[in-house]
Amino acid sequence: MEGSWLVVLVIFVMALSVQSQLKTGFYSTSCSKAEAIVRSTVESYFKKDPTIAAGLLRLHFHDCFVQGCDGSVLIAGSSPERNALPNLGLRGFEVIDDAKSQIEALCPGVVSCADILALAARDAVDLSDGPSWSVPTGRRDGRVSLSSQASNLPSPLDTVAAQKQKFSDKGLDDHDLVTLVGAHTIGQTHCQFIRYRLYNFTTTGNADPTINQSFLPQLQALCPKNGDGTKPVPLDKDSQTDFDTSFFKNVRDGNGVLESDQRLWDDAATRDVVKKYAGTIRGLLGLRFDIEFRQAMVKMSSIEVKTGTDGEIRKVCSKFN
């Protein structure tokens, strides 16, 4: 009898631990100023350069898609994640390092870099006139970071099928995919990632026929055939620094900058979500995107998190303890 009670107790405790992996206000007693410090740090960088918001959001995405949301993308060195090809354009590391050093001075060894990154991504969206949400915290930092593991990150060349698969592998559905790609409303890319669409799509010597004919000359003017490949290009031609629904209207109208974004219109399931967000009743549908983006971000930022005694709390975000 005692044995069966023990089994029930163990199962109950395991269920509880899964449920309470992350929780809002995790640091409310152990480091009550942590969230405020992250917010003020992000704000100070944002005032100098509003495009840093997209950088921080992308940093969090790229972290969560490799090894889960464990700060592994922040590690510097010879062969960590951030040296992988898809991560070479990542930025915002200095914002996380700055917030971490301020928090360490106040509460040493308490707040993880992974949590600082999740909070900074939320604050970046909020400062860009997007929604805000409560970020469940309690993540711990990973002890592994390898560039070889970053090969499965979403790519601007991905078909819709490939995008769906990569998101599905992380427990995210087609609706989450479109909602999260909506983060591109404040994003930017570089000419080298879109030039093939403008001049030699599928080696035909022509432009990608899905690009709106009136938008094509604008892109070609931004990215001349033999121009600077590192020149930045806004992913939302209408409102690069505002977190809004114009990105979805652009995809609907053939004004998507990345091939992977424009392809969302080719697939019935993803097109339905794009249509919903690009709708004409501005207030109502803008509101819907705001609500659903919050939900999708909480879901994404819980991917394969390390909690409890897993991992560590780094002293410096760019190196293991």
Side-chain angles (χ1 to χ4, degrees), residues 21-22 66-72 112 114-115 137-144 301-314:
Q21 273 189 321
L22 298 179
V66 185
Q67 292 270 349
C69 313
D70 67 347
S72 52
S112 70
D115 276 343
T137 41
R139 296 166 193 77
R140 286 169 66 86
D141 297 321
R143 292 197 179 101
V144 176
S301 66
S302 307
I303 293 172
E304 296 162 31
V305 291
K306 293 162 182 65
T307 57
T309 54
D310 276 357
E312 62 184 20
I313 305 292
R314 277 182 226 144

Side-chain angles (χ1 to χ4, degrees), residues 70-316:
D70 67 347
S72 52
V73 77
L74 304 170
I75 294 293
S78 57
S79 59
E81 272 170 49
R82 67 198 262 182
N83 288 10
L85 198 60
N87 286 336
L88 293 182
L90 290 180
R91 49 197 288 260
F93 295 101
E94 71 286 1
V95 185
I96 306 303
D97 290 340
D98 190 344
K100 175 65 171 172
S101 62
Q102 292 176 61
I103 290 170
E104 279 300 298
L106 201 66
C107 326
V110 173
V111 182
S112 70
C113 299
D115 276 343
I116 292 172
L117 190 46
L119 292 164
R122 183 267 314 270
D123 295 335
V125 172
D126 184 33
L127 287 163
S128 307
D129 295 328
S132 186
W133 59 94
S134 298
V135 176
T137 41
R139 296 166 193 77
R140 286 169 66 86
D141 297 321
R143 292 197 179 101
V144 176
S145 181
L146 297 167
S147 58
S148 58
Q149 294 183 338
S151 58
N152 207 33
L153 277 162
S155 151
L157 305 178
D158 282 345
T159 61
V160 176
Q163 293 181 68
K164 285 178 166 186
Q165 188 59 56
K166 286 177 181 182
F167 276 71
S168 170
D169 289 345
K170 301 295 171 192
L172 300 167
D173 59 29
D174 297 352
H175 193 279
D176 297 322
L177 160 65
V178 180
T179 306
L180 291 168
V181 169
H184 286 172
T185 176
I186 57 169
Q188 56 181 29
T189 186
H190 295 101
C191 286
Q192 63 200 22
F193 298 115
I194 63 165
R195 195 178 275 139
Y196 73 97
R197 290 190 76 203
L198 310 182
Y199 301 103
N200 194 21
F201 187 64
T202 59
T203 65
T204 54
N206 300 314
D208 182 341
T210 63
I211 301 174
N212 186 314
Q213 283 307 295
S214 61
F215 185 42
L216 181 60
Q218 294 175 44
L219 284 176
Q220 289 174 329
L222 269 175
C223 299
K225 202 167 194 174
N226 300 309
D228 178 5
T230 62
K231 190 177 172 189
V233 183
L235 293 177
D236 178 347
K237 70 181 182 66
D238 301 312
S239 53
Q240 187 196 349
T241 54
D242 285 337
F243 200 93
D244 56 24
T245 54
S246 70
F247 168 80
F248 297 106
K249 296 182 173 79
N250 287 336
V251 171
R252 177 194 66 195
D253 299 338
N255 297 327
V257 175
L258 294 177
E259 183 184 352
S260 56
D261 289 350
Q262 192 54 55
R263 295 289 164 264
L264 296 174
W265 192 251
D266 300 343
D267 174 271
T270 53
R271 183 169 57 238
D272 281 350
V273 188
V274 172
K275 271 186 187 167
K276 179 174 77 166
Y277 293 145
T280 47
I281 315 165
R282 193 174 168 275
L284 181 69
L285 293 157
L287 180 70
R288 181 186 276 174
F289 173 56
D290 278 4
I291 291 167
E292 292 178 2
F293 187 79
R294 290 175 205 166
Q295 294 164 344
M297 280 298 288
V298 170
K299 190 171 169 183
M300 186 207 71
S301 66
S302 307
I303 293 172
E304 296 162 31
V305 291
K306 293 162 182 65
T307 57
T309 54
D310 276 357
E312 62 184 20
I313 305 292
R314 277 182 226 144
K315 294 182 180 71
V316 178

